[in-house]
Amino acid sequence: MRDFSYFRAASTEEASRAMLDAGAMLLAGGTTLLDLAKCGVSEPDTLVDITHLAGLGDIAVDANGATIGALAKMGEVADHPGVKAAFPAVAQSLSLAASAQLRNMATIGGNLLQRTRCSYFREPGVFPACNKRNPGSGCSAIGGVTRNHAVLGTSRACIAVNPGDLAVALVAFDAYVEMGRRRVAIEDLYMLPGETPDWETVLKNGEIITGIGIPASVAAKNSTYLKVRDRQSYEFAAASAAVGIEFEADGKTVRDIRVALGGVATKPWRARAVEQSLIGTVLDVEAVEKASRLSMEGAVSHGGNSYKIELAPRVVARAILTMGGLA
Amino acid sequence: MTRTIHLSLDINGKRHELDVEPRVTLLDALRESLALTGTKKGCDQGQCGACTCHVDGKRVLSCLTLAAQVEGRQITTIEGIAAENGDLHPVQAAFIENDAFQCGYCTPGQIMSAVACIREGHAGSEEEIREYMSGNLCRCGAYNSIVAAVREAASAVTTGIEAKDKVEVA
Ligand SMILES: Cc1cc2nc3c(=O)[nH]c(=O)nc-3n(C[C@H](O)[C@H](O)[C@H](O)COP(=O)(O)OP(=O)(O)OC[C@H]3O[C@@H](n4cnc5c(N)ncnc54)[C@H](O)[C@@H]3O)c2cc1C
Ligand code: SF4
Ligand code: FES
Ligand code: FES
């Protein structure tokens, strides 16, 4: 790990000012940043530690929804009774992520900005070609081992998965992220790789996420996060789905349904085609399985990851059927 | 260019003063500067749990924590959990009783994780223990005995036989 200097910010303003220096990076839980610094991917000159800032760790839930400070820990949000009651999929996406130790360290703001686990990206010494790390250098993954790479939202420049679980649940329930007074929908926070995979979010240089908000809805309250992975725990998703459903007064016709996918796309992926095809219908196994296949519209296999095109719709279908009382 | 910073760290109830480079992790500070080598380095990348310590009573990975970040926090390592008179912590005793290790390399991390797992109330069933201890890998595969040890220690603690945890803040 390259040497850097350390600055403990006493206020958000002080942190913003310190971030004006080129080479400065914000340090929250450090579980992405220090890991990537050790890999030689991140090379900060200064780390601006924001974990001692007061007032950015609060979690509040009321009838309108939840507001969560950027410094709240993954574990605190996962265990929060109000979040668990009003947004089960959000709480589950966190409790099924990483490990208990990491969840005690990692913050919500840092979680949303975690980087891809593409193993070529993480090994600059062995694989110099990576457009995300080094624009224009090529992509070592394309034509390589792609078992953990994306099938949706890819480009010829980059096929890396956005590995986060929380953002998948947030994108399903129209959450937003706040940078002081600026507010951006989670769906608009992330950018597709296109020709510039090094550019991952719409955040401006040095901009600090201060918190997130999740509007309350019946679908969010009646929701689940299903995560399928290579081992039972402490592993990123091979494919995952956040699903929430609101039924009409008859208790079986779908009034509102939210479906988002993780582990298969270059950004947290809302599957609106699946939602549209099920709204107004009464759920049955066959229709749900058929609708779930729409989540793979436009999917592209790169060889090793072709199993995801089979797996993801099944994960979506199982999550919907579970919420519909049919699984 | 080498920069060093001065840190005061509160470890196992004792204040330590040290000068380190800002990039030094808590794990390296413990092992290299303070000769507290009970905490182990496995992967150094957050993937194995061997380096698990407690900061303000919560389990964390010392390999992904900068020493500079934990100034002013209460740090507990494996060296700090036995009683002053040398009596083992109930979790340590349960690991010996259940033969919950082979090479022993993952064991300090397993024990620190288990102490926290029990305190969090996440040791209610075998299934729950497996899930909440999943951040600690054991390459010798002593998992069955580790789960048995955590179960035994959890019931010892909840029945109040020996729940003393002297150095930790709540
Ligand atoms: C072994 C392992 C397993 C994991 N498994 C999972 C998993 O299964 N699912 C999952 O979702 N995640 C998983 N993770 C990723 C983990 O959740 C993230 O590393 C963590 O959430 C990042 O949060 P942090 O506070 O540690 O961020 P940091 O590492 O401190 O920061 C991450 C990035 O965000 C920036 N940043 C941090 N806070 C802010 C802010 N407030 N405003 C603007 N920028 C900011 C930093 O500058 C940095 O670039 C795993 C990580 C590891 C190491
Ligand atoms: S998939 Fe993206 S992150 Fe991975 S090597 Fe290719 S360009 Fe880099
Ligand atoms: S050494 Fe810290 S998790 Fe492996
Ligand atoms: S006892 Fe050898 S790694 Fe666990």
Side-chain angles (χ1 to χ4, degrees):
Chain A
M1 180 163 44
R2 211 175 71 168
D3 198 15
F4 48 72
S5 58
Y6 170 85
F7 174 70
R8 192 180 296 154
S11 65
T12 319
E13 294 70 38
E14 209 176 88
S16 297
R17 229 173 305 126
M19 286 302 292
L20 294 176
D21 284 349
M25 288 184 82
L26 294 171
L27 175 67
T31 61
T32 288
L33 185 44
L34 295 178
D35 178 27
L36 290 178
K38 290 180 187 193
C39 296
V41 173
S42 296
E43 299 195 316
D45 293 325
T46 305
L47 287 189
V48 179
D49 184 356
I50 53 173
T51 53
H52 294 252
L53 300 186
L56 285 185
D58 298 341
I59 306 169
V61 184
D62 63 21
N64 296 320
T67 52
I68 300 170
L71 291 180
K73 301 282 167 55
M74 287 171 72
E76 291 164 357
V77 180
D79 291 340
H80 190 276
V83 175
K84 279 161 84 172
F87 306 98
V90 173
Q92 290 160 18
S93 74
L94 288 164
S95 60
L96 293 172
S99 68
Q101 290 95 314
L102 286 158
R103 296 193 295 270
N104 281 339
M105 306 163 72
T107 64
I108 295 303
N111 182 284
L112 295 178
L113 299 181
Q114 63 178 288
R115 310 289 304 276
T116 184
R117 303 296 292 193
C118 169
S119 39
Y120 301 100
F121 170 78
R122 290 172 57 84
E123 286 249 27
V126 189
F127 301 103
C130 171
N131 289 321
K132 195 183 269 304
R133 245 184 9 236
N134 186 9
S137 62
C139 169
S140 297
I142 295 175
V145 178
T146 59
R147 185 178 159 74
N148 296 321
H149 286 80
V151 293
L152 290 168
T154 56
S155 70
R156 56 181 191 171
C158 178
I159 58 171
V161 161
N162 179 313
D165 290 298
L166 170 66
V168 176
L170 293 182
V171 97
F173 303 112
D174 297 326
Y176 55 86
V177 47
E178 280 180 335
M179 285 71 67
R181 273 188 297 272
R182 186 161 96 98
R183 185 181 275 196
V184 173
I186 291 278
E187 206 171 2
D188 301 329
L189 176 67
Y190 300 99
M191 302 199 299
L192 289 171
E195 293 300 309
T196 52
D198 54 313
W199 199 12
E200 297 179 347
T201 71
V202 300
L203 286 191
K204 299 180 193 132
N205 249 346
E207 208 170 11
I208 300 176
I209 296 179
T210 47
I212 63 169
I214 325 170
S217 64
V218 177
K221 193 176 166 64
N222 188 38
S223 67
T224 190
Y225 188 76
L226 178 61
K227 181 174 177 182
V228 173
R229 37 193 164 169
D230 283 350
R231 61 180 180 199
Q232 198 175 339
S233 184
Y234 198 18
E235 186 56 273
F236 291 91
S240 68
V243 165
I245 308 182
E246 176 183 4
F247 292 102
E248 299 285 0
D250 65 7
K252 50 186 194 199
T253 309
V254 176
R255 174 185 289 173
D256 181 17
I257 177 166
R258 313 291 183 88
V259 180
L261 279 79
V264 294
T266 52
K267 62 181 253 180
W269 201 260
R270 181 90 175 254
R272 291 191 200 275
V274 181
E275 299 174 359
Q276 287 311 317
S277 84
L278 290 172
I279 286 175
T281 69
V282 174
L283 297 181
D284 73 72
V285 175
E286 213 172 301
V288 168
E289 284 175 353
K290 186 157 169 253
S292 297
R293 282 197 285 275
L294 297 174
S295 65
M296 288 295 113
E297 270 177 350
V300 180
S301 150
H302 299 88
N305 60 359
S306 62
Y307 77 98
K308 289 186 190 259
I309 298 176
E310 276 295 310
L311 178 62
R314 295 183 192 195
V315 175
V316 168
R318 206 203 308 164
I320 297 174
L321 292 171
T322 303
M323 293 322 293
L326 294 167
Chain B
M1 173 178 39
T2 309
R3 299 164 263 216
T4 58
I5 48 173
H6 183 80
L7 299 176
S8 315
L9 297 183
D10 295 322
I11 303 166
N12 301 328
K14 238 176 85 188
R15 168 71 50 99
H16 296 262
E17 307 283 337
L18 61 163
D19 293 295
V20 292
E21 291 177 23
R23 64 177 164 177
V24 167
T25 60
L26 173 60
L27 174 60
D28 285 341
L30 291 170
R31 294 183 55 85
E32 310 295 334
S33 302
L34 302 170
L36 289 167
T37 54
T39 306
K40 300 299 183 229
K41 182 184 281 191
C43 63
D44 210 23
Q45 288 195 310
Q47 299 182 6
C48 75
C51 64
T52 303
C53 294
H54 297 179
V55 171
D56 288 345
K58 296 244 167 76
R59 48 175 159 164
V60 301
L61 301 175
S62 58
C63 71
L64 292 184
T65 302
L66 290 182
Q69 278 181 290
V70 290
E71 230 186 351
R73 317 271 199 217
Q74 298 297 320
I75 299 152
T76 309
T77 69
I78 188 71
E79 288 90 348
I81 63 165
E84 246 149 55
N85 66 7
D87 283 354
L88 294 181
H89 187 283
V91 174
Q92 291 176 303
F95 266 64
I96 293 175
E97 188 62 32
N98 288 275
D99 235 342
F101 39 74
Q102 288 176 40
C103 76
Y105 198 80
C106 70
T107 311
Q110 299 278 1
I111 290 175
M112 294 309 286
S113 198
V115 170
C117 180
I118 295 167
R119 187 190 301 136
E120 292 158 12
H122 286 141
S125 66
E126 197 170 314
E127 204 186 3
E128 195 181 21
I129 292 169
R130 284 183 188 278
E131 172 60 31
Y132 281 88
M133 290 293 292
S134 71
N136 293 82
L137 304 189
C138 173
R139 293 194 67 178
C140 298
Y143 294 111
N144 288 339
S145 315
I146 292 169
V147 172
V150 178
R151 282 212 86 158
E152 186 181 295
S155 56
V157 168
T158 47
T159 52
I161 294 171
E162 242 283 38
K164 207 158 99 44
D165 213 346
K166 60 175 175 77
V167 283
E168 308 227 358
V169 295

